[in-house]
Amino acid sequence: MDTRDTPEQAELRRAARQLARELGPATVADLDDGARAKRLTGAVHDAGWLELRQDGGGGPVASGVESAIVADALGGAVADVAFTGPALAADLSRRAGCGATDSAVVGFAPNLIDPAVVPGRVAATPIYAVDAAEHVDVASVLVPTGPDYRLAQVQLDGPAEGADLTRVIRRIPAGASLADVHDQRRLLTHDDVAHWSALGLALTSADLVGLMRGVLDITVPYASERRQFGVPIGSFQAVQHLLAEARCLMEGSLSAALYASWAVDELAPDEACAAGRVAKAYCARAARTVCETAVQVHGGIGNTWECMVHVYLRRAVLSSQWFGDDGEQLLQIQRTRLGVDTPAAPSSGRPPGPAAPSSGRPPGPASG
Amino acid sequence: MDYRDSPAEAEFRARLRTWLADHDPGLPTSSTDDDYWAQQAEWHTALYDAGFFGLSWPGRYGGHDLPPVFDVILDQELAAAGAPPRPSLGYLVQGITTHGSDDIKDRFLPGLISGRERWCQGFSEPDAGSDLASLRTTASHDGDDYVINGHKIWTSYSDVADWCFLLARTDPDVPKHKGISAFAVPMHQPGIEQRPLRMINGITTEFGQVLFDGARVASENMIGAPGEGWRVAMTIVSHEREPGELGFVARYAKTVDDVEKEVRADPTTFRPDQLDEVAWAFVQAEMLRLHVCRRLSERLDGIQHGPGGSVDKLLMTWVEQTVGAAALAVSGPRAALDTEDVPLKVYLYSRAQSVMGGTSQVQKNIVASRVLGLPAP
Ligand SMILES: Cc1cc2nc3c(=O)[nH]c(=O)nc-3n(C[C@H](O)[C@H](O)[C@H](O)COP(=O)(O)OP(=O)(O)OC[C@H]3O[C@@H](n4cnc5c(N)ncnc54)[C@H](O)[C@@H]3O)c2cc1C
């Protein structure tokens, strides 16, 4: 066992963080700088990161670890570029034996947990294409075929919406009709979808780890600079303890998320999902607490649109909900480990329904 | 990055698993029962004699010179077998290894590691807890010895110890951090009186008070140089804060396993909030296991964590207290009806984790100033 990055992984981590820092938004106003966003999109494309989950001959070009390294780096800079969406689409296409494109997107059920499963020719509920690249015009959905699935596509002609200011969600209204996918060479099995979900859990967890690191990188220096009562607010023990707790939550999240990213390609689907659920449950709760701490430490300015902190918090809301928040993961853990009778995980094509509400308790006990 | 066992690790795991199948002493959970402590020495020597203890420590002193990640395997297999955790004394080994002379190492490490000599740690005093450097126990030079006078408290396992890793003031005339020295003091002598304390969960072996009244220690038993005691103490406490050094992961995993078994027997008799607590305890314990994997892997680069140990201590504390809370939740009214209820004892014991080894508030102070670099209050 050796959980360290290989030299190549360490180099990817360094390069991805540098690129994200240089081209990601440094201020809220930067989000409107189209030229910058375009450079960022081009750089991510040129780096080849959108191809990591494409077919590399007998498996993906790179393992879940590499994709998670990129997701973590982009989350850390709240980089407004599609990555996890295209990575998931590439992974699903690869498993279905479809030809590679580096810009596609998967449609999700309204709970943002399950891939959209459309039994007929027409979608009965809205479909959400999460983290679609700008020029993508169709989303993939699953069509039940015996115990398996084939892929179909719906047109992305609906509006863009979502809390996250850095990633686009396109809503396809109910009633959208399906177009066949012709180059699918294999049906997707339950295991395929479970394995794909494990990737989703790992990448959204990695994004949350990045968000925690990034928002602390803004907040800790702010606490050292901002003065009240003639001293930096970061010298107050109450503020110090909030930030210390946040740092711990980030470190613990990283440890759980690294394993989930490794598990994607190294463990059987059920085990990979189990690793993903642990990571996601921990990271979702932790990220919520860490981002809320960042708002609190910034005081009034932290509650304004102009302050970067809410960009992190908003992105954390989407990354938490996408593939299920902590409450949803805990339900699935109860089902698999405790034998509690709750609906099965996304991969088994469970009926879409609202995600369980998060119980919202922060990862550390209040008194410890 | 690879979480799989290497061939050597797999071989070790298989050997350990086979051994555990026949040698689990079936002791009660360490944190809840005095019987555990009565038999802990046997467990220690059994583990050691079978070649499963002191894995990452120098072979010269009875260790096995293995990479630190082998301890993760040990913890996992102990938990899976439901066996007791490994004895927690890595921090003392680190303290002696870092600061002791060759003579001190040769004299004390083999017995400490093999479990044939048992140790306690005499740092805290009634008026020197978080502010450890204000300790008042004195050690005064007298011929070839030092003479010890003072009062230690919260000294874990002092009543079964052969040796005390003691901090005492050897020079009252210098600033408080500079006048402290560390000693290996023999516990079996007339000048030492033990007064056991009863913990909130009822056990009496966890800690006690130790009174030194003219106790003697040979000068050659000083660990580190005169006045180096504070540095020695900091080495020890920084390792005492690392879950990888303590092996508590196995204890948490075992409790989670016990609680899960109880729920699985009939999940319909538990409320959703109880089920949530159990699932969350599993998540927390699993996070800590993975965190220890990462920290022990980082040691392969020679990284010693120093103040980062405080991050790990806080994570470990939250895990222990979450696991304790889950045990209490599942026990429900039983915990209120029966003072011997094991989950009640596990829960009550878990509250100490945010105090022992430096309180959570002290850990947060350290993280704030030394990890985050925030300005001094
Ligand atoms: C189960 C157990 C086993 C132990 N084993 C040993 C042992 O083997 N050997 C040994 O030497 N000691 C041992 N200890 C002692 C332990 O290290 C001390 O209890 C601890 O350092 C706290 O000191 P104190 O009890 O004097 O509390 P105090 O220092 O009086 O603290 C009381 C409260 O004040 C808070 N506080 C104090 N200073 C600050 C500050 N600067 N900022 C914010 N808050 C502060 C603390 O967080 C705490 O909540 C053990 C303790 C326990 C509970």
Side-chain angles (χ1 to χ4, degrees):
Chain A
M1 178 198 331
D2 183 352
T3 75
R4 292 173 302 171
D5 285 344
T6 62
E8 296 75 25
Q9 287 164 348
E11 174 52 24
L12 175 63
R13 203 179 284 282
R14 194 201 56 73
R17 286 190 187 177
Q18 186 181 338
L19 186 151
R21 205 171 34 241
E22 283 172 9
L23 296 175
T27 63
V28 174
D30 282 351
L31 288 170
D32 296 328
D33 179 353
R36 177 201 55 78
K38 214 173 173 147
R39 279 201 303 281
L40 173 62
T41 302
V44 167
H45 179 272
D46 294 347
W49 296 338
L50 300 176
E51 294 154 27
L52 294 176
R53 295 307 291 177
Q54 289 180 10
D55 190 8
V61 169
S63 81
V65 175
E66 281 76 16
S67 296
I69 286 172
V70 175
D72 168 310
L74 296 176
V78 283
D80 44 349
V81 56
F83 172 72
T84 296
L88 286 165
D91 194 74
L92 198 64
S93 297
R94 177 178 57 79
R95 293 179 194 278
C98 297
T101 55
D102 60 10
S103 53
V105 73
V106 179
F108 281 79
N111 64 11
L112 299 187
I113 299 170
D114 308 320
V117 176
V118 183
R121 299 294 305 172
V122 173
T125 57
I127 292 169
Y128 292 84
V130 186
D131 198 22
E134 208 177 332
H135 53 282
V136 175
D137 49 16
V138 291
S140 302
V141 300
L142 302 183
V143 181
T145 309
D148 302 325
Y149 300 98
R150 62 185 176 77
L151 288 177
Q153 290 183 329
V154 292
Q155 204 66 33
L156 281 188
D157 49 9
E161 43 189 50
D164 184 356
L165 305 179
T166 60
R167 289 173 300 180
V168 176
I169 299 182
R170 302 285 300 277
R171 183 166 62 86
I172 302 146
S177 53
L178 306 195
D180 289 333
V181 168
H182 294 295
D183 65 347
Q184 180 170 0
R185 278 182 282 140
R186 286 187 295 277
L187 288 176
L188 292 163
T189 63
H190 170 97
D191 277 357
D192 285 326
V193 182
H195 241 150
W196 173 84
S197 298
L199 177 66
L201 288 165
L203 295 187
T204 50
S205 298
D207 187 81
L208 290 165
V209 172
L211 289 173
M212 288 182 250
R213 194 184 54 254
V215 84
L216 283 176
D217 283 349
I218 294 176
T219 308
V220 171
Y222 181 80
S224 303
E225 285 154 22
R226 166 76 178 167
R227 297 173 76 86
Q228 285 292 281
F229 301 95
V231 296
I233 57 165
S235 67
F236 299 127
Q237 201 178 48
V239 172
Q240 293 191 340
H241 285 193
L242 282 176
L243 291 171
E245 287 169 11
R247 172 59 180 255
C248 295
L249 294 178
M250 191 271 281
E251 294 285 351
S253 298
L254 173 59
S255 297
L258 284 175
Y259 179 64
S261 73
W262 174 82
V264 170
D265 296 304
E266 298 292 336
L267 298 184
D270 284 356
E271 294 169 52
C273 278
R277 286 195 197 106
V278 167
K280 190 66 191 292
Y282 196 85
C283 293
R285 278 197 187 184
R288 172 91 163 261
T289 304
V290 171
C291 289
E292 289 173 356
T293 290
V295 173
Q296 180 65 17
V297 169
H298 277 81
I301 194 82
N303 290 274
T304 63
W305 190 270
E306 281 67 35
C307 180
M308 271 306 269
V309 170
H310 77 109
V311 180
Y312 287 84
L313 178 55
R314 286 166 168 277
R315 183 164 169 142
V317 169
L318 173 58
S319 291
S320 294
Q321 290 297 325
W322 199 7
F323 287 93
D325 67 358
D326 46 326
E328 169 67 16
Q329 307 313 329
L330 292 187
L331 271 186
Q332 297 303 332
I333 288 167
Q334 288 164 30
R335 185 178 59 76
T336 52
R337 296 190 65 82
L338 304 178
V340 174
D341 193 15
T342 56
S347 43
S348 52
R350 60 177 260 200
S358 153
S359 61
R361 176 189 295 211
S367 55
Chain B
M1 190 181 299
D2 190 355
Y3 288 80
R4 248 181 247 290
D5 286 347
S6 69
E9 289 164 353
E11 186 273 329
F12 173 83
R13 190 189 291 278
R15 213 158 32 83
L16 172 60
R17 198 173 285 182
T18 310
W19 184 80
L20 279 173
D22 303 329
H23 294 85
D24 177 359
L27 296 182
T29 304
S30 56
S31 54
T32 62
D33 202 314
D34 285 334
D35 282 351
Y36 171 83
W37 292 106
Q39 296 170 63
Q40 198 249 9
E42 276 168 53
W43 169 234
H44 183 161
T45 46
L47 257 188
Y48 176 83
D49 289 345
F52 297 120
F53 189 65
L55 302 176
S56 63
W57 299 331
R60 168 167 183 189
Y61 305 118
H64 293 269
D65 291 314
L66 291 167
V69 288
F70 277 76
D71 281 331
V72 176
I73 299 174
L74 179 59
D75 290 345
Q76 280 174 355
E77 292 301 321
L78 291 174
R86 61 182 147 113
S88 302
L89 44 82
Y91 47 96
L92 293 179
V93 174
Q94 298 278 4
I96 294 175
T97 309
T98 310
H99 299 277
S101 64
D102 286 343
D103 284 348
I104 287 278
K105 288 189 260 192
D106 288 338
R107 167 65 191 87
F108 290 115
L109 285 175
L112 173 62
I113 293 174
S114 72
R116 291 196 161 76
E117 292 178 313
R118 304 179 79 187
W119 286 68
C120 64
Q121 177 185 332
F123 289 12
S124 306
E125 298 180 4
D127 289 325
S130 298
D131 183 12
L132 180 61
S134 65
L135 63 87
R136 294 205 293 247
T137 295
T138 56
S140 356
H141 224 152
D142 180 29
D144 290 340
D145 290 345
Y146 280 85
V147 178
I148 318 254
N149 286 291
H151 183 176
K152 294 289 173 180
I153 192 168
W154 320 125
T155 321
S156 298
Y157 337 130
S158 57
D159 49 347
V160 295
D162 304 304
W163 296 94
C164 179
F165 201 119
L166 183 89
L167 292 183
R169 194 161 296 286
T170 42
D171 187 348
D173 301 325
V174 294
K176 62 180 183 177
H177 292 85
K178 298 206 169 122
I180 300 169
S181 305
F183 298 90
V185 180
M187 289 296 279
H188 307 296
Q189 59 166 308
I192 296 182
E193 186 197 335
Q194 303 268 359
R195 290 191 194 154
L197 289 164
R198 192 163 186 206
M199 223 188 159
I200 57 174
N201 71 351
I203 62 175
T204 56
T205 36
E206 171 62 48
F207 52 34
Q209 308 197 58
V210 186
L211 284 77
F212 294 86
D213 182 8
R216 299 188 82 86
V217 56
S219 303
E220 66 199 31
N221 280 14
M222 187 184 284
I223 299 169
E228 198 183 329
W230 184 252
R231 281 182 43 220
V232 177
M234 289 306 101
T235 300
I236 290 180
V237 295
S238 74
H239 288 286
E240 191 180 1
R241 291 164 185 166
E242 290 184 4
E245 209 67 83
L246 294 169
F248 289 175
V249 170
R251 182 153 60 81
Y252 307 150
K254 180 171 160 23
T255 303
V256 170
D257 197 54
D258 290 346
V259 171
E260 286 186 332
K261 272 196 194 106
E262 170 154 9
V263 174
R264 267 200 305 273
D266 187 358
T268 60
T269 56
F270 295 91
R271 295 187 311 257
D273 62 290
Q274 293 172 305
L275 299 172
D276 258 4
E277 293 223 33
V278 176
W280 181 236
F282 166 73
V283 168
Q284 285 266 13
E286 190 60 4
M287 178 283 296
L288 191 68
R289 178 181 74 83
L290 297 167
H291 189 69
V292 170
C293 289
R294 171 156 81 95
R295 292 307 207 194
L296 294 184
S297 292
E298 286 171 356
R299 284 214 197 150
L300 296 169
D301 287 329
I303 297 177
Q304 297 290 334
H305 287 104
S310 293
V311 170
D312 301 356
K313 166 87 192 319
L314 285 161
L315 288 172
M316 173 171 72
T317 299
W318 294 340
V319 173
E320 170 146 2
Q321 297 187 343
T322 304
V323 170
L328 183 71
V330 164
S331 195
R334 271 199 332 261
L337 292 170
D338 178 6
T339 189
E340 291 303 312
D341 186 47
V342 170
L344 172 69
K345 290 181 163 191
V346 167
Y347 161 73
L348 289 172
Y349 185 88
S350 74
R351 303 316 305 172
Q353 191 53 251
S354 49
V355 174
M356 63 170 97
T359 71
S360 284
Q361 287 68 40
V362 167
Q363 307 307 329
K364 288 174 202 174
N365 291 346
I366 294 171
V367 174
S369 67
R370 299 188 45 213
V371 177
L372 299 177
L374 287 167

